[in-house]
Amino acid sequence: MTSPRVLVIRNAERSGPGRLLPWLRDEGLTVEELAGPEAPTDPAGYDAVVLLGGGFLPDDDAYAPWLPAQRDLTRRAVAEGVPLLGICLGAQVLAVAEGGRVEGSYGVPERGSCAVELRTEAGEDRLLAGLPRRFRAIQNHRDQITRLPPGSAHLARSDACPVQAFRVGECAWGVQFHPEAGADRLDGWDEAALAEKGLDLAALRAEAQTAEPASTRAARRLAANFAAVVRARATL
C-alpha cells in the first residue's frame, strides 16, 4: 500500500521543515519538499500540504512572485478537503487566501519560546487534541492575522498575538507558532540585531532550552494528530 504523500513548501531558505520532516516520516507519510517557486497551483497527486514560514507578508507578490500560485493551491486544498497545515507565514497565506486579513509590523513581536493558550473552541479540534491548555512554542514574527476568514474556528491565542491557531473548514489549519522548530532554531539568530531591539539572545536561548522537553511533547503530538488526519483522508 502506498503511503500518503505530503507536499511541504519551503518559502525561505532558513525556514525549513526542521523536526517536522522526520516526525511525519515516522508517522508513515512520504514527504516531498519544494521551494516556493516550484510549488504547484493545486494539490493533485498529494494527500496533504504543509506551508512553511518566511520573513515577508502573504500578499507581498512583488518580493515573492510565487505567492499568488500558493494562495491558489491553498484555496483548492480547502475546497477539495485536502488536509493543510500553514505555519507562521503559511498560516497567514491561509488566512488571506480564505478572506482574512494580515497586517505587517502589527502589535508586539514575539521572539523565542512563548506561551500559547488553547481556546474553548479547540476542545473538539483534531489537530490540537491532547495538547495541554497552555504550552510553549518557538515564535519569530512581527506580523499578525488581524481578521480571521469568514466561518473559521479560532483555536488558540497568546497575550501578544490573539490569533495563534485557527481552522478553515474541516481540515485546513494555520498556526502562528513553530511546531517544526526546537530551541536549537535560536542558534542561528542574529545577536546584534536582537540587542538593537532590546532583546538578550542568551536569555532567550536559556528560556527556550528550559521549555524544550514540554514544548517538544506538544509539537510532536500536533504532528501525530496532523498525520492521523492525513492517513484518514488518504483512505477515502
Side-chain angles (χ1 to χ4, degrees):
M1 186 178 195
T2 303
S3 62
R5 298 181 68 217
V6 180
L7 172 62
V8 173
I9 299 178
R10 180 194 287 256
N11 283 296
E13 185 58 34
R14 296 180 63 185
S15 298
R19 59 193 182 182
L20 195 60
L21 198 61
W23 285 350
L24 293 179
R25 287 171 173 162
D26 287 348
E27 292 290 332
L29 308 182
T30 297
V31 180
E32 180 179 350
E33 184 181 347
L34 294 177
E38 302 170 346
T41 57
D42 69 72
Y46 296 98
D47 299 292
V49 175
V50 176
L51 309 177
L52 298 174
F56 43 89
L57 289 166
D59 55 359
D60 191 355
D61 300 350
Y63 179 84
W66 63 87
L67 285 171
Q70 191 167 137
R71 294 193 297 271
D72 285 344
L73 169 65
T74 299
R75 292 187 193 99
R76 287 171 179 161
V78 172
E80 296 170 18
V82 176
L84 182 142
L85 175 61
I87 296 172
C88 195
L89 170 64
Q92 297 170 6
V93 168
L94 172 61
V96 169
E98 291 296 309
R101 176 184 297 165
V102 174
E103 296 189 42
S105 299
Y106 184 91
V108 179
E110 291 184 299
R111 312 289 186 200
S113 177
C114 304
V116 175
E117 181 177 354
L118 299 184
R119 289 166 50 91
T120 303
E121 293 86 340
E124 301 298 321
D125 186 74
R126 291 183 290 169
L127 182 72
L128 301 175
L131 271 71
R133 188 181 67 84
R134 283 179 64 87
F135 61 93
R136 300 188 75 86
I138 299 300
Q139 306 258 17
N140 188 22
H141 71 98
R142 63 173 185 248
D143 310 324
Q144 289 194 27
I145 298 165
T146 56
R147 187 181 70 212
L148 284 167
S152 59
H154 187 183
L155 303 174
R157 60 171 299 279
S158 72
D159 290 341
C161 180
V163 179
Q164 284 289 341
F166 65 100
R167 186 185 69 252
V168 178
E170 293 297 317
C171 56
W173 290 273
V175 296
Q176 184 61 61
F177 57 91
H178 287 273
E180 85 286 8
D184 58 352
R185 180 65 67 88
L186 278 66
D187 293 345
W189 287 11
D190 188 326
E191 184 172 8
L194 288 168
E196 288 179 1
K197 297 177 175 63
L199 298 172
D200 183 339
L201 180 56
L204 292 178
R205 284 173 174 163
E207 184 177 41
Q209 288 290 352
T210 298
E212 181 76 346
S215 291
T216 299
R217 287 194 295 272
R220 184 66 182 85
R221 180 59 185 264
L222 185 151
N225 288 346
F226 183 68
V229 172
V230 176
R231 290 194 302 267
R233 196 268 181 184
T235 61
L236 295 179

